[in-house]
Amino acid sequence: MAVADFTTTYKESIFLPSQLSSLSSCLSNTRSHVLKPYLRARNVNKVYCSVAPNEVQTPVVPQPTSIKGECYGVFCLTYDLKAAEETKSWKSLINIAVSGAAGMISNHLLFKLASGEVFGQDQPIALKLLGSERSFQALEEWAILIGAKPRGPGMERADLLDINGQIFAEQGKALNAVASSNVKVIVVGNPCNTNALICLKNAPNIPAKNFHALTRLDENRAKCQLALKAGVFYDKVSNMTIWGNHSTTQVPDFLNARISGFPAKDVIKDTKWLENDFTEIVQKRGGVLIKKWGRSSAASTAVSIVDAIRSLVTPTPEGDWFSTGVYTNGNPYGIAEDIVFSMPCRSDGDGDYELVKDVLMDDFLRERIKKSEAELLAEKRCVGHLTGEGDAYCDLPEDTMLPGEV
Ligand SMILES: NC(=O)C1=CN([C@@H]2O[C@H](COP(=O)(O)OP(=O)(O)OC[C@H]3O[C@@H](n4cnc5c(N)ncnc54)[C@H](OP(=O)(O)O)[C@@H]3O)[C@@H](O)[C@H]2O)C=CC1
Ligand SMILES: O=C([O-])CC(=O)C(=O)O
C-alpha cells in the first residue's frame, strides 16, 4: 500500500469513532478523510488502521479476534464483527477489495460504497483498500481493480498492455490464491478488457464468468447523449448496449436502444447524427474530457462502477438490460470466443448475469462490432506471454486507442 510512500514501519491499532480525528491524519494521507462522516453515519464503531508508530497518539484498545491476520496498508477499514453479530438485523458481511485505493476514481468511489448506496443501507461491508502493495488479504465477494499505470508520454499502447497486463496477471494470481471462488471482479484499470482477460487467465480457480471489464461509463455516456438529443431525462433511455472494447472502437448501439419505451431510431429520426456524431461522441468522450479538464474522468467513472455493481446485485427491470465486458464463452451474436467483450446482460440480482438473446442486428452494427472484435483479438495476441498462450505478437491496428487517448 502507499504506506511505503511515507513510512517503512507500521503499527496496527483499533480506533473508536471518538478517536477518528487522530485517525484522520492516516486517512487524509490518502485523501480519504471524506470517509469519516460516512463511517459515523453507518455506526462504524471501530476502524482498523495501519500507520507509523509516531503518527499514533490514541490508546490502543484490544484487537478483536475476528480480525484475521495482519492488515497491510495505510488504512484498512472493517466493521467490528463482534458488534455485527450482536446486531441481529445485519446481513452477513460482504468484503470488497479495491486496488488503486488512493487514486482519483477511488477518491469518489469509496464513500459511495460506504454510504450504503450500492449494496443497501442494511448491508454491512468491509472495504479492503489496496495500493502499491500487491497483497490481497481475506478477499471474498467483490474485487474492484482500478490500480494501473496511466499511459505516459511516448509510451506505445503495446507497452501499456505489457506494463498494466503484468499488474493484472499478479492480481489474478493473488485472487486465485486467496479469494473465494464466488468473488466478482470488476476491472477498471485500462486497457480494461484485455486486463480482465489477463486477470481471469491467471485465476483458474475462479469462474471466468465472474470477471467484468467496466464499460458502464460508456453506457452512461451513450444514454446521456441520446437523452440530450431527444430532449428527455436521462432515465428515459433504456436498453443501451455498448459492444466490444472500452476503446475508440466501442459500438454504442442505437438500433436496440429505447427512449421512453420506443426505439431510439423512431424518436431520433436523424440517422446521420446517430451513425456519425453519436457514435463518435461516445467513443471519444474520455479524450474530450481529458482535454477539457486535464485529467481523466474520475467522478463519473466512480458512479459507473457503482451502477455496474448495482446492476448485478439488483434484478434488472423487466425488458431492460445493461452492458458489461464479459468473457466470451458461447454467445448468440457470433463474437469470437476467449476474449472479454462488452455485451447486453441481465441479472436476477444474485451477482450473476446472463446474456440477452433477442437483440436486433444490422450491417452497420455487425461491421463495427467486427472492428472492435479484431482489436481485442490483436490485444490478446500482444499479451500471450501473460495469459499462458506463449510468445506475444503485437500487431495492433494503428488507430486503436483508449477513450482517453484521443
Ligand atoms: N474503464 C473505465 O471506464 C475507465 C478506466 N480508467 C482507468 O482507471 C485507472 C485508474 O485511473 P485513476 O484513478 O484516474 O488514476 P490515478 O493515476 O489517479 O491512480 C492510479 C492508481 O493506480 C495505482 N497503481 C499504479 N501502479 C500500480 C501497480 N503497479 N499496482 C497496483 N496499483 C498501482 C496507484 O496506486 P499507488 O498510488 O498506491 O501506487 C493509484 O492509486 C487507469 O488505468 C485509467 O485509465 C479511467 C477512467 C475510466
Ligand atoms: O483513458 C482513460 O484513462 C480514460 C477512460 O478510459 C475514459 O474516460 O473512458
Side-chain angles (χ1 to χ4, degrees):
M1 177 70 205
V3 125
D5 296 342
F6 16 91
T7 181
T8 49
T9 49
Y10 316 135
K11 176 171 176 175
E12 290 143 14
S13 307
I14 304 295
F15 296 87
L16 299 173
S18 58
Q19 297 164 326
L20 272 174
S21 59
S22 50
L23 177 65
S24 70
S25 63
C26 165
L27 296 180
S28 61
N29 274 334
T30 54
R31 292 179 266 140
S32 288
H33 54 285
V34 287
L35 282 173
K36 195 167 120 181
Y38 290 92
L39 293 171
R40 281 208 183 121
R42 290 192 52 107
N43 295 324
V44 179
N45 57 4
K46 286 179 186 172
V47 176
Y48 187 64
C49 180
S50 297
V51 288
N54 60 7
E55 289 179 341
V56 181
Q57 273 109 49
T58 34
V60 176
V61 301
Q63 186 172 323
T65 50
S66 48
I67 291 179
K68 290 175 280 183
E70 288 186 326
C71 172
Y72 294 94
V74 170
F75 51 94
C76 182
L77 311 180
T78 183
Y79 287 87
D80 176 358
L81 300 183
K82 198 159 165 276
E85 277 162 24
E86 284 160 10
T87 315
K88 290 197 174 55
S89 62
W90 279 26
K91 298 176 179 170
S92 55
L93 189 81
I94 293 179
N95 284 311
I96 307 162
V98 183
S99 73
M104 289 194 303
I105 296 170
S106 294
N107 201 28
H108 295 271
L109 173 70
L110 295 177
F111 62 86
K112 290 176 84 63
L113 291 172
S115 74
E117 179 184 332
V118 186
F119 290 95
Q121 297 293 332
D122 59 345
Q123 175 61 65
I125 60 168
L127 294 172
K128 313 283 183 182
L129 309 180
L130 307 170
S132 304
E133 190 80 32
R134 326 263 169 89
S135 65
F136 279 70
Q137 294 295 314
L139 195 55
E140 294 174 47
E141 304 283 351
W142 291 88
I144 305 165
L145 303 184
I146 303 170
K149 284 253 179 280
R151 186 163 127 142
M155 196 191 280
E156 297 290 330
R157 186 178 169 89
D159 298 336
L160 188 73
L161 275 165
D162 184 49
I163 292 169
N164 283 345
Q166 293 192 33
I167 295 172
F168 289 88
E170 287 297 315
Q171 296 191 336
K173 284 178 192 147
L175 286 164
N176 200 53
V178 301
S180 150
S181 62
N182 192 36
V183 67
K184 306 293 183 296
V185 184
I186 313 274
V187 176
V188 180
N190 275 319
C192 62
N193 294 55
T194 297
N195 287 341
L197 182 73
I198 292 168
C199 198
L200 71 88
K201 291 282 181 186
N202 283 278
N205 296 340
I206 301 168
K209 201 183 177 197
N210 294 11
F211 289 79
H212 297 260
L214 185 80
T215 55
R216 186 53 168 264
L217 177 59
D218 308 299
E219 175 185 326
N220 290 353
R221 286 168 171 164
K223 282 177 165 170
C224 185
Q225 291 305 319
L226 290 186
L228 286 171
K229 182 75 175 173
V232 299
F233 285 115
Y234 169 91
D235 63 358
K236 298 288 178 222
V237 184
S238 64
N239 305 78
M240 187 72 239
T241 312
I242 298 295
W243 297 93
N245 201 0
H246 176 69
S247 77
T248 52
T249 66
Q250 68 177 265
V251 189
D253 174 353
F254 55 82
L255 180 65
N256 288 284
R258 293 187 162 256
I259 300 172
S260 304
F262 299 101
K265 284 182 87 170
D266 290 354
V267 179
I268 300 170
K269 296 200 187 318
D270 186 347
T271 309
K272 205 163 150 269
W273 181 85
L274 286 169
E275 290 186 354
N276 300 317
D277 305 36
F278 166 71
T279 303
E280 194 175 321
I281 288 170
V282 177
Q283 289 171 332
K284 297 188 174 172
R285 183 68 187 151
V288 169
L289 273 158
I290 290 174
K291 275 202 192 110
K292 275 185 198 286
W293 193 40
R295 313 195 69 175
S296 67
S297 315
S300 54
T301 305
V303 167
S304 67
I305 296 169
V306 166
D307 290 343
I309 298 173
R310 212 165 29 198
S311 286
L312 291 166
V313 298
T314 47
T316 311
E318 189 62 36
D320 201 2
W321 61 69
F322 56 90
S323 304
T324 176
V326 292
Y327 183 64
T328 53
N329 180 20
N331 68 83
Y333 323 113
I335 292 159
E337 303 298 354
D338 202 31
I339 51 179
V340 171
F341 205 86
S342 183
M343 300 188 281
C345 297
R346 291 181 49 81
S347 175
D348 291 338
D350 56 359
D352 204 356
Y353 66 86
E354 58 189 44
L355 300 176
V356 176
K357 293 188 180 66
D358 46 349
V359 291
L360 303 171
M361 279 281 166
D362 63 6
D363 287 346
F364 180 90
L365 208 52
R366 232 176 260 115
E367 192 188 303
R368 275 154 189 81
I369 287 174
K370 277 279 156 217
K371 194 173 173 202
S372 207
E373 179 194 73
E375 179 181 70
L376 279 166
L377 289 169
E379 286 191 16
K380 183 180 153 187
R381 286 191 291 275
C382 274
V383 297
H385 58 306
L386 298 170
T387 56
E389 293 189 4
D391 291 342
Y393 167 66
C394 230
D395 62 345
L396 289 172
E398 264 179 30
D399 59 350
T400 180
M401 281 187 274
L402 294 171
E405 288 171 356
V406 289

